[in-house]
Amino acid sequence: MNTWRNASLAVTATAVLALTTACGQDKGVENPNGQAVGAANPAAPADGGYGSDYGAGAADQAAAKPGGQLAVWDSKELGKVVTDSAGFTLYRFDKDTASPPKSNCEGECAKAWPVVAAGGASAAPGTDASLIGEVTRADGSKQLTIGGWPMYRFAKDTKPGDAKGQGVGGTWYASAPDGKKAGGGAGVGSGGDYGDGAAEEAGGEAADLAGLSVRKDAKLGEIIVDKNGMTVYRFKKDSAWPMKTACTGECLKKWPVVDPVAKNDTEGILKKGFVTFSRPDGIKQQTIDCWPIYTFSGDAKAGDTNGQGVGGTWYAVSPQGKLVGAPK
């Protein structure tokens, strides 16, 4: 029995030592002996890093409504955009798939992005009716698809012609008549703090990047970017060991977390301390050198560095996980 207990304790100690070595011991940081990390009771954002605080009517709008007679709105910023029969913009989600059609927006996500029901939809005049279809969601309901892409509305669009969802989180875009991204995936600047983060290179072609990689910025030098080419940031008020976040609630709307990335889906960055942070709000966040990392909703396109130096606390990240350009 003693032999078994000793072996068990040895295994546990080895696991703790491994994490400590990865996140602090080799930096001379004291091991906190298992104390809870992170800020307490933050408001948990919804799918894609955005919360359910989209107005009092958001939950009511979650009930799927049909699109009816679809139409095409000729937007000065975005070109041709599909709308429902009431003139509300229809959107597509990058985390969905078109072939085969599949929706990955459920629960809180569907409150912010109400589903367009499939029944009774008619193609917009002058468009290809064969592109109109449907997909069966996880709950068995039918959702409208265009070109295979599931269609949604945005709860913050309050009147016909609004396109406040364009570019939100770098994953939501107004739909063109063929189901592709209207405007080549560009943001229109109407999303406010919820982000206009277009995740496309100029010309509308998606960046073919690893989950995290290095970009040479003309002013900042080598900095880390995500799979969409968006600049990655660190917050000076966070800590690496114990791993702790000071960005919660409203902060996360401006600074969405970087989702976990596989080590083999990175190029040119430090692998030591490359671990997933299980935040107290339940969100999984990628770290580099044990520091939590984020993107900035104010970056409208790949290559932007609008978050650099914000509040004297937010800075781009070097390939070694260091703050770029921060005062010493």
Side-chain angles (χ1 to χ4, degrees), residues 34-307:
Q35 72 181 56
V37 300
N41 300 320
D47 193 332
Y50 298 93
S52 57
D53 53 341
Y54 287 84
D60 292 336
Q61 293 182 54
K65 299 177 182 177
Q69 175 61 65
L70 304 182
V72 175
W73 165 47
D74 198 358
S75 164
K76 181 173 67 175
E77 294 90 357
L78 302 177
K80 296 188 182 301
V81 175
V82 177
T83 72
D84 65 12
S85 58
F88 283 85
T89 300
L90 300 190
Y91 297 89
R92 42 163 285 173
F93 185 30
D94 277 359
K95 294 184 180 180
D96 289 348
T97 59
S99 182
K102 186 179 188 304
S103 169
N104 289 303
C105 179
E106 307 283 349
E108 290 297 308
C109 174
K111 293 179 182 178
W113 303 92
V115 166
V116 180
S122 302
T127 64
D128 186 353
S130 69
L131 294 176
I132 302 298
E134 63 181 38
V135 61
T136 302
R137 294 173 55 81
D139 61 5
S141 63
K142 305 288 187 181
Q143 182 174 2
L144 175 69
T145 62
I146 299 178
W149 289 97
M151 292 289 114
Y152 308 82
R153 299 176 181 90
F154 184 41
K156 287 187 73 70
D157 285 350
T158 58
K159 64 183 183 298
D162 279 354
K164 296 177 182 178
Q166 177 71 1
V168 166
T171 54
W172 290 93
Y173 297 95
S175 175
D178 57 1
K180 294 182 179 178
K181 300 176 187 179
V188 298
S190 59
D193 289 342
Y194 292 84
D196 305 310
E200 306 274 337
E201 297 287 2
E205 295 299 323
D208 184 16
L209 299 173
L212 290 170
S213 59
V214 178
R215 180 178 72 82
K216 185 66 176 289
D217 184 82
K219 294 181 178 179
L220 301 178
E222 290 190 334
I223 59 174
I224 296 175
V225 297
D226 70 7
K227 64 182 179 181
N228 297 314
M230 307 302 287
T231 302
V232 169
Y233 299 89
R234 266 182 46 193
F235 189 27
K236 289 185 73 174
K237 294 183 180 181
D238 288 351
S239 65
W241 188 256
M243 250 185 285
K244 185 175 180 180
T245 176
C247 182
T248 63
E250 291 297 310
C251 175
L252 289 177
K253 295 174 184 176
K254 293 184 178 181
W255 303 92
V257 307
V258 173
D259 292 333
V261 176
K263 278 190 177 182
N264 60 4
D265 190 22
T266 65
E267 292 182 3
I269 69 172
L270 182 73
K271 299 295 177 65
K272 184 188 74 173
F274 190 84
V275 298
T276 298
F277 175 29
S278 295
R279 297 165 52 95
D281 51 21
I283 299 171
K284 303 293 185 182
Q285 182 173 11
Q286 185 59 55
T287 72
I288 294 179
D289 200 22
C290 302
W291 290 95
I293 55 175
Y294 310 77
T295 54
F296 181 44
S297 66
D299 285 345
K301 64 183 183 301
D304 279 357
T305 56
N306 297 321

